[in-house]
Amino acid sequence: MHSPGNKRPARIERALAAGCMALLCIITFANVLVRYLTNASFAFTEEFSVFLLLVLTLLGSVSAFAENRHIRITMLVEKLPKPGRRLCAGIEWMANIALFGLLAWFGYRMALDDFEFEVTSPGLGVPQWWYTVWLPLLSALIVVRLLLMLISKRRVPE
Amino acid sequence: MSLLLFVVFLGLMFAGVPLGVAMGLAGTAVIYFADLGLMSLPTSVYTGIAKYPLLAIPVFVLAGMIFERSGVALRLVRFAVAIVGERRGGLALAAILVCMVLGGISGSGPADAAAVATVMIPGMVRAGYPLAFSAGIIAAAGSTAILIPPSIVFILYSVLVPEASVPALFAAGLIPGILAGLALMLPSWWLSVRNDFGAKERSDGEIKTTFWQAFKEAIWGLLAPVLILGGMRSGMFTPTEAAVVAVFYGLFVGLVIYRTLNWGSIYDVLVESAEVSGVILLIISLASVFAWAGSTLGAFEALGALLIGISSNETIVLLAVTLLLLVAGMFLDAVSILFIFVPFLLPVILHFKWDPVWFGIILAMNIAIGQFTPPMAINLMVTCRIAGIRIEETVPWVLWFLGAMSTAMLLVTFIPELALAVPRALGYLN
């Protein structure tokens, strides 16, 4: 699907997402092995796996945005004349920025609450903000990526 | 306010905004204007995704891709061809069979369709099948992956409807999944015979394998569904663990037995599966905002009451619900349908005292049909991209498969035991 000479965008996010996926599998598999071999369980790592799921979601979304692979309905848009299509592209772009911008800002306030009230996680007992802070950080990353994509699109007209 | 929720969503959706983002923004708009507290936005996103059962989704996506790349799909195809033989319609039946077996490993329709289309379409073209027919039948058969356990749709449905457990849903999907596959075989065989598909001499020098040779090669792939389903049935693994075991089993087969994988291709598979999972999971997390806003407003109860009010006749309401889901399936993806429709169908299910497991199967069958019915046919998009044709070209063929699978769906609708017999026998129903 991708021509080999073509450098794929968002390389770092891609590598990190792959790392998340690998780590998720290894933790879960280790869990199965340990349970059958020793009768012990480290099910408390569940909360970490679930946190990896969040990171995986947002990182995977970055590369899906970069490659335009998010599920959208383009049936109507494609039938529009050119100005209409450009308007819709603008709406799409602004909607994406708005949503992840809001997530970054309110996610930051959520993490700040966890930090100020010293909430600890139920399983491992670590500060909850270690987990929650990644929602605003990665949302902000998506906003940055969307901005960069707009700039590179301007430079190379399709 | 409830109107705002759906108007904003539909407006953004038709403007080409990604579905998840459209749902997230519609939910946010309602939260803002109804003054429900915007802090619920990050909370809904976080709690919407941070759920243990959801872990199974990326891992099953990865498992499906590993089985494709390691050449398991290819060997299953050779085995299926050895069974049905080279006759008119033979390859079409083989494609359906392989889709069903792979459906027992992967839980996602597009992944299944992609794996089989990559392997089979070139051979089907050589044997005289039109591209449009091949792309259509593989897209349709690939959709059985969400009925034949394991299934991502059932995992999500169970998150939304906790009364229906994942093991019960998996067990209940087995017969309807096979039924759907058989239903597809009838028209594809008949169409092949009538139009003389697959009758061309195969003088392309492809090595003919004997039945036993093909069986020995394919046994590793055939064992995978047994391992996954058996492991879950015996209570050895949770669905997530079964998925991880499938991943490592697939890696073992690819690295040691077939020697088709290397570290580079494993990295590629990790990246690819992370991206596909990101797309699915983002919709789940943002749909949670939509669902939270809708249920806090009471929008879903109102819609549910509206549906119940259509008629006091249970059958009429059931048919209306089915029609609604069928149409929705043609436009939306599986995850969006679950998050938009399940919340307001729940009151209807309770009102008529329908079995939630059986209803989950009906829902999944409608979603499966939607996966290969244009305009938004995610499986068909995948197979058409591989075949290099336009979706419109497949419509004359797809209509047959639509009819066949709808018939299977109606059978399960009116004979609930088709779905419920297996989980009842296994003791999963209370």
Side-chain angles (χ1 to χ4, degrees), chain A residues 1 8 11 14-15 17-18 21-22 24-26 28-29 31-32 35-36 46 49-51 53-54 56-58 60-61 63-65 67 69-73 75-77 88-89 91-92 95-96 98-100 102-103 106-107 109-110 113 128 131-132 135, chain B residues 12-21 24-25 28 38-39 41-43 45-46 49-52 54-55 58-59 62 235-237 240-241 244-245 247-248 267 270-279 281-283 285-286 331-333 375-376 378 385:
Chain A
M1 264 169 274
R8 295 170 73 176
R11 260 186 37 225
R14 228 180 273 283
M21 190 64 139
L24 253 179
C25 291
I26 291 168
T28 313
F29 194 59
N31 229 329
V32 178
R35 200 173 66 223
Y36 285 101
E46 231 177 59
S49 299
V50 156
F51 158 72
L53 191 63
L54 174 85
L56 175 71
T57 305
L58 295 169
S61 298
S63 70
F65 271 119
E67 296 192 7
R69 284 178 68 169
H70 279 292
I71 300 175
R72 329 188 274 131
I73 294 182
M75 180 179 72
L76 279 184
V77 177
C88 284
I91 292 175
E92 188 212 336
N96 291 336
L99 182 81
F100 287 99
L102 284 167
L103 266 180
F106 288 100
R109 296 219 350 230
M110 176 174 76
D113 279 353
Q128 183 69 26
Y131 296 137
T132 41
L135 175 63
Chain B
L12 290 174
M13 177 178 98
F14 284 118
V17 174
L19 286 177
V21 174
L25 276 180
T28 310
L38 274 172
M39 284 307 285
L41 170 63
T43 320
V45 169
Y46 196 92
I49 199 75
K51 289 193 180 95
Y52 184 74
L54 295 183
L55 269 176
V59 191
L62 176 63
M236 270 205 320
F237 316 130
T240 308
E241 291 170 348
V244 166
V245 170
V247 164
F248 282 89
Y267 177 77
L270 283 172
V271 169
E272 188 89 358
S273 61
E275 192 180 301
V276 171
S277 310
V279 170
L281 292 164
L282 185 72
I283 300 179
S285 61
L286 295 176
F331 289 92
L332 298 171
D333 68 293
M376 248 308 270
I378 198 155
R385 197 166 56 200

Side-chain angles (χ1 to χ4, degrees), chain B residues 168 171-173 175-176 357-358 361 412 415-423:
Chain B
I175 292 181
V357 172
W358 165 76
I361 306 299
V412 180
I415 313 173
E417 273 308 299
L418 283 174
L420 296 176
V422 177

Side-chain angles (χ1 to χ4, degrees), chain B residues 126-168:
Chain B
R126 280 198 300 270
Y129 293 87
L131 276 171
F133 175 83
S134 313
I137 187 64
I138 295 174
S143 76
T144 58
I146 64 170
L147 296 170
I148 295 174
S151 152
I152 289 176
V153 168
F154 290 152
I155 293 171
L156 270 177
Y157 180 78
S158 177
V159 167
L160 293 167
V161 187
E163 299 83 38
S165 73
V166 172

Side-chain angles (χ1 to χ4, degrees), chain B residues 15 17 29 45 53 63 152 185 195 203 217 221 244 247 268 282 302 309 328 371 379 384 410:
Chain B
V17 174
V45 169
I152 289 176
M185 284 182 187
N195 297 307
S203 53
E217 288 248 293
V244 166
V247 164
D268 287 344
L282 185 72
Q371 283 191 331
N379 289 8
C384 285
L410 286 175

Side-chain angles (χ1 to χ4, degrees), chain B residues 55-180:
Chain B
L55 269 176
I57 292 174
V59 191
F60 271 127
V61 169
L62 176 63
M65 285 186 182
I66 287 179
F67 277 88
E68 179 209 334
R69 300 291 155 85
S70 62
V72 168
L74 179 69
R75 284 159 181 85
L76 286 175
V77 167
R78 284 197 198 132
F79 180 55
V81 172
I83 294 178
V84 295
E86 283 167 25
R87 64 188 78 210
R88 282 184 300 182
L91 281 179
L93 298 190
I96 297 171
L97 277 175
V98 176
C99 279
M100 289 165 71
V101 174
L102 276 183
I105 302 169
S106 95
S108 120
D112 196 3
V116 178
T118 316
V119 178
M120 288 209 67
I121 285 186
M124 289 179 80
V125 171
R126 280 198 300 270
Y129 293 87
L131 276 171
F133 175 83
S134 313
I137 187 64
I138 295 174
S143 76
T144 58
I146 64 170
L147 296 170
I148 295 174
S151 152
I152 289 176
V153 168
F154 290 152
I155 293 171
L156 270 177
Y157 180 78
S158 177
V159 167
L160 293 167
V161 187
E163 299 83 38
S165 73
V166 172
L169 286 164
F170 278 10
L174 199 58
I175 292 181
I178 293 171
L179 195 67

Side-chain angles (χ1 to χ4, degrees), chain A residues 67-147:
Chain A
E67 296 192 7
N68 194 15
R69 284 178 68 169
H70 279 292
I71 300 175
R72 329 188 274 131
I73 294 182
T74 51
M75 180 179 72
L76 279 184
V77 177
E78 277 162 7
K79 294 212 167 64
L80 291 175
K82 209 173 172 198
R85 278 209 304 268
R86 291 183 70 167
L87 176 73
C88 284
I91 292 175
E92 188 212 336
W93 187 80
M94 282 196 304
N96 291 336
I97 294 267
L99 182 81
F100 287 99
L102 284 167
L103 266 180
W105 172 245
F106 288 100
Y108 160 72
R109 296 219 350 230
M110 176 174 76
L112 197 65
D113 279 353
D114 285 340
F115 177 72
E116 280 175 351
F117 295 107
E118 296 182 3
V119 184
T120 53
S121 71
L124 294 168
V126 297
Q128 183 69 26
W129 67 269
W130 289 8
Y131 296 137
T132 41
V133 75
W134 290 96
L135 175 63
L137 280 180
L138 292 172
S139 301
L141 175 75
I142 293 180
V143 173
V144 171
R145 277 291 180 192
L146 286 167
L147 288 170

